[in-house]
Amino acid sequence: MAVKPLVETDFYRMQTRLALRNCGVIDPESIDEYIARDGYQALARALLDLQPADVIQIMKDSGLRGRGGGGFPAGLKWSFTAANAADQKYVVCNADEGDPGAFMDRSVLEGDPHAIVEAMAICGYATGATEGYVYVRAEYPIAVKRLEIAIAAAKELGLLGKNILGSGFDFELFIRLGAGAFVCGEETALMTSIEGNRGEPRPRPPYPAVKGLFAKPTTENNVETFANVPQIILHGAEPFAAMGTEKSKGSKVFALGGNITNTGLVEIPMGTTLREVIEVIGGGIPGGHKFKAVQTGGPSGGCIPAEHLDIAIDYDNLSAIGCMIGSGGMIVMDDSKCMVDIARFFLDFTVDESCGKCSPCRIGTKRMLEILDKIIAGEGTLADVDKLEELAYHIKENSLCGLGQTAPNPVLATLRFFRDEYIAHVTEHRCPAGVCKSMLTYKIDPDKCIGCTLCARACPVNAISGKVKEVHVIDPLKCIKCGACETACKKVHAVYKG
Amino acid sequence: MLKKISKLPFTGTPEQEAQLQAIIASVDGDKSLLMHVMQKAQGIYGYLPFEVQAIIAEGMNIPLEHIYGVSTFYAQFALAPKGKYNISVCLGTACYVKGAQDILDKVTEELGIISGECTADGQFSIEACRCIGACGLAPVMMINDDVYGTLTPAQIPAILEKYRNA
């Protein structure tokens, strides 16, 4: 049987690799290999042929929007910093990839670190900054190492440092390590952290373009945003702007994971439908299960149900249904997942990661978590569901930064699309997916049980009684719902959750 | 984030302090490098007891309360020592959806300690960690620098046994 070329397989066929163009192709520790793939040509073009204003115009025309989650037009952001005169300006690269389930920034830093170095230097030239900081999370040691190698190699060739390529432009790059705080992915919190403080966000205005890092005008972009910059500057805005939808240009990397056959990073043109990503690229749901929801945007996003699978992926279409692209996590869930439990999972995350500076986020999310715990314990009421929703809107409106403003999204999105599951939890004390333990009872089907005693022997609390070759019974008062009996009864499947 | 603070007596050596002092000297009074110094200090001592924070406070001329604030803010800074083998079970979304909670429960059951604790013999500690970016291998756990992917609870006892006998 002939083997298909990689690019013809379903996984790669629909992808367009722009931000990931060098990942897995070049040796990330070799500056020569990067240069052989047109590396630093964009920087040379910017420094030698273009004025800073031209660079910004190309960025604006390309329509590139922030890939970290906000979706703010990058060219516009650069122009704000360029417009502010100051003795010192900074470029900051946000590599504090905190969204659990997203790893495209890690992949770019590990696979193509020079693209970030080059892009930040271009940004520095365009905005008038001479120093840049890359803030990398400490969980990514390989990314840090490769970035260090890349910076040293670029310095040696005079592509960083004083008088780059004889243009008179100076640019230095520094690395700072995070220490495990999700809120530091928020741009003002990240700057506070670089300054050596608790990473708490700052109120805006003043915006970072006016008063950012060390109180100087600062441009901050995410790794994936920067990864697109060299190609845009080198080839002009048109090829990039020709891809995608009306308001979301280019391609976006998604980290496909969860209950899906093919997992990994996929880079698709904006406007591809969720169905194409999940069914063609992802290869569908394994194990005979049915699709239930796809979670995008991490703890700030929401769960999208089957009826919306045909929407074209772009910033505005996902916002319209109360979800978001976010940094690009895309976790597929099958019918064995409980949406109330998933909402609780994300809220537990935000409660833990709330920095504590503003009370709507610090106290509000905690109260929401308590209500969800009550519902999951089978003690919730319909009034609790209403309270949960009301609280969610208050937190969204009154929190200081993006973390709090989006923290209720997982709850709101599941309430919107899977309200019946919440209702089943509070009115029937039933978890339709069979996840919430308090509402489970394990039973033995007397017609299937062959009296093999395996379940009784597996039970850690001796809750199962019955003689050999006779039907066994579970005592619900003793049962701790550990599920050991169900696992033990794998031959005849007599034990079931009811 | 709630932090477990160690009540064990501080056992730092003069050699460790000399290493730390060299790092403090190397940043040349740049207070924005506080986290860098704390990360290095944790590398030397394994955790950041108050005694170490006090050395940094003195050396960098930063109030101890500020350092304490920073050390309790970030998940990476430990105020209690970790085991010889630190087990991090990833509870990121992709891992959670693939059953990471069952993995954590099994590790907890096997070792008889909960997340954030260390076994009495100082061999193992457990922590539930954030996404480590290996979502394609979910569910994932790390023991020191070794990564274990596509785990099932049934594999856990054998994996732990390897380290017990090491």
Side-chain angles (χ1 to χ4, degrees):
Chain A
M1 198 173 78
V3 176
K4 267 194 278 188
L6 209 56
V7 288
E8 286 176 23
T9 58
D10 285 339
F11 187 73
Y12 284 106
R13 190 161 52 86
M14 302 179 73
Q15 296 198 43
T16 307
R17 298 211 155 197
L18 227 65
L20 298 176
R21 63 186 281 272
N22 285 334
C23 292
V25 177
I26 63 167
D27 173 2
E29 297 185 8
S30 160
I31 192 169
D32 295 337
E33 293 198 16
Y34 179 69
I35 290 172
R37 297 265 294 169
D38 297 338
Y40 292 102
Q41 298 290 320
L43 179 62
R45 177 169 187 236
L47 293 183
L48 306 175
D49 302 339
L50 300 173
Q51 292 302 312
D54 302 334
V55 175
I56 288 174
Q57 194 56 48
I58 295 174
M59 289 302 296
K60 279 185 178 167
D61 293 343
S62 74
L64 175 65
R65 292 170 65 172
R67 296 295 193 238
F72 194 82
L76 202 57
K77 206 175 198 179
W78 290 21
S79 72
F80 292 154
T81 316
N84 288 308
D87 54 345
Q88 178 70 57
K89 295 185 199 177
Y90 296 102
V91 179
V92 172
C93 175
N94 184 343
D96 190 53
E97 190 171 42
D99 170 4
F103 51 104
M104 58 286 295
D105 294 351
R106 168 187 179 148
S107 191
V108 170
L109 287 174
E110 290 182 3
D112 196 13
H114 282 287
I116 304 304
V117 175
E118 182 177 7
M120 289 180 72
I122 294 171
C123 179
Y125 174 69
T127 59
T130 55
E131 280 184 19
Y133 285 87
V134 187
Y135 186 89
V136 193
R137 62 194 294 238
E139 287 88 339
Y140 290 176
I142 301 171
V144 175
K145 189 184 130 218
R146 296 212 171 132
L147 201 55
E148 279 169 351
I149 294 172
I151 291 173
K155 259 190 185 159
E156 204 178 310
L157 293 189
L159 296 164
L160 278 181
K162 296 266 175 236
N163 192 17
I164 298 170
L165 298 171
S167 63
F169 171 66
D170 304 336
F171 194 73
E172 293 286 350
L173 209 48
F174 306 99
I175 299 174
R176 287 292 162 89
L177 292 191
F182 177 67
V183 70
C184 289
E186 199 277 339
E187 64 175 359
T188 60
L190 187 147
M191 291 173 195
T192 317
S193 181
I194 291 181
E195 292 163 7
N197 303 311
R198 290 167 69 96
E200 289 173 349
R202 309 196 270 239
R204 278 163 293 199
Y207 287 89
V210 180
K211 210 172 166 188
L213 185 61
F214 301 119
K216 301 290 182 189
T218 304
T219 316
E220 180 177 326
N221 279 126
N222 153 275
V223 171
E224 195 190 331
T225 315
F226 276 128
N228 282 299
V229 170
Q231 293 300 302
I232 293 172
I233 298 302
L234 187 60
H235 301 296
E238 294 76 24
F240 190 87
M243 272 170 85
T245 61
E246 193 197 335
K247 286 184 179 160
S248 303
K249 301 297 185 190
S251 58
K252 171 81 189 95
V253 186
F254 288 93
L256 195 57
N259 305 121
I260 188 144
T261 309
N262 304 328
T263 59
L265 291 182
V266 297
E267 182 166 355
I268 45 163
M270 290 280 191
T272 310
T273 67
L274 281 164
R275 189 181 298 284
E276 287 168 321
V277 175
I278 291 163
E279 292 180 0
V280 182
I281 299 176
I285 318 290
H289 283 283
K290 269 202 232 126
F291 173 86
K292 183 166 188 175
V294 54
Q295 209 282 343
T296 63
S300 308
C303 293
I304 304 170
E307 66 253 37
H308 287 298
L309 274 186
D310 287 310
I311 63 166
I313 300 170
D314 75 4
Y315 289 101
D316 309 293
N317 284 347
L318 287 195
S319 307
I321 56 167
C323 294
M324 65 191 277
I325 286 186
S327 58
M330 195 180 265
I331 310 285
V332 180
M333 295 170 195
D334 65 22
D335 51 9
S336 69
K337 300 291 168 291
C338 167
M339 288 297 128
V340 183
D341 180 59
I342 293 295
R344 191 205 171 276
F345 167 79
F346 282 115
L347 213 57
D348 187 40
F349 180 91
T350 36
V351 166
D352 211 26
E353 293 295 346
S354 172
C355 79
K357 184 166 179 168
C358 74
S359 42
C361 176
R362 182 184 70 240
I363 303 170
T365 55
K366 180 85 179 156
R367 295 290 95 86
M368 282 180 74
L369 182 64
E370 285 165 2
I371 296 175
L372 278 176
D373 277 336
K374 196 176 159 195
I375 293 174
I376 285 172
E379 293 156 7
T381 61
L382 281 172
D384 285 325
V385 178
D386 291 339
K387 222 185 280 171
L388 190 65
E389 200 165 15
E390 191 190 334
L391 199 49
Y393 285 112
H394 283 304
I395 296 169
K396 267 179 93 75
E397 276 169 30
N398 297 311
S399 292
L400 176 65
C401 81
L403 191 152
Q405 287 157 10
T406 58
N409 283 355
V411 171
L412 287 172
T414 46
L415 270 174
R416 182 168 182 176
F417 296 124
F418 299 95
R419 199 176 194 96
D420 52 333
E421 284 195 32
Y422 283 84
I423 303 296
H425 278 76
V426 297
T427 56
E428 302 166 40
H429 302 291
R430 183 174 67 85
C431 172
V435 171
C436 299
K437 281 194 178 155
S438 71
M439 288 169 222
L440 282 183
T441 40
Y442 281 91
K443 290 177 190 159
I444 297 176
D445 184 343
D447 297 334
K448 283 187 182 167
C449 180
I450 54 168
C452 70
T453 73
L454 275 178
C455 59
R457 277 183 278 158
C459 179
V461 290
N462 295 324
I464 304 179
S465 55
K467 290 185 182 133
V468 182
K469 293 192 182 167
E470 282 178 20
V471 171
H472 283 54
V473 185
I474 302 175
D475 181 351
L477 292 175
K478 281 189 186 167
C479 176
I480 54 165
K481 297 161 186 172
C482 67
C485 49
E486 194 187 20
T487 317
C489 187
K490 55 192 163 210
K491 275 213 183 114
V492 293
H493 298 291
V495 180
Y496 65 98
K497 285 182 249 185
Chain B
M1 190 173 296
L2 216 61
K3 289 257 179 171
K4 245 194 151 55
I5 297 175
S6 174
K7 293 194 179 75
L8 295 169
F10 177 59
T11 57
T13 62
E15 291 78 35
Q16 286 175 320
E17 186 169 343
Q19 280 180 35
L20 178 56
Q21 291 295 359
I23 286 159
I24 293 171
S26 73
V27 301
D28 201 21
D30 184 349
K31 289 183 183 170
S32 77
L33 287 169
L34 171 64
M35 276 167 63
H36 168 79
V37 173
M38 290 170 68
Q39 278 158 344
K40 293 284 178 194
Q42 184 158 310
I44 296 169
Y45 291 94
Y47 69 120
L48 289 177
F50 292 129
E51 289 82 356
V52 173
Q53 295 183 33
I55 297 172
I56 300 172
E58 188 75 22
M60 294 184 77
N61 198 19
I62 295 174
L64 180 59
E65 81 203 39
H66 180 83
I67 298 178
Y68 178 68
V70 172
S71 70
T72 50
F73 186 85
Y74 297 94
Q76 197 198 14
F77 296 124
L79 296 174
K82 289 180 179 167
K84 184 178 168 199
Y85 302 109
N86 184 45
I87 305 173
S88 319
V89 180
C90 176
L91 284 190
T93 319
C95 288
Y96 188 76
V97 167
K98 293 271 218 166
Q101 188 65 49
D102 296 338
I103 304 292
L104 180 60
D105 290 348
K106 185 70 187 172
V107 176
T108 306
E109 182 194 321
E110 285 289 315
L111 295 176
I113 51 169
I114 59 164
S115 177
E117 288 185 338
C118 184
T119 52
D121 60 2
Q123 285 288 303
F124 291 100
S125 52
I126 314 178
E127 61 183 3
C129 73
R130 296 293 179 229
C131 186
I132 57 171
C135 313
L137 299 174
V140 179
M141 88 178 173
M142 281 176 81
I143 301 186
N144 290 352
D145 290 334
D146 303 336
V147 178
Y148 295 89
T150 52
L151 288 167
T152 61
Q155 292 171 290
I156 301 298
I159 295 172
L160 294 179
E161 205 52 38
K162 269 200 331 211
Y163 292 88
R164 279 201 183 104
N165 298 330

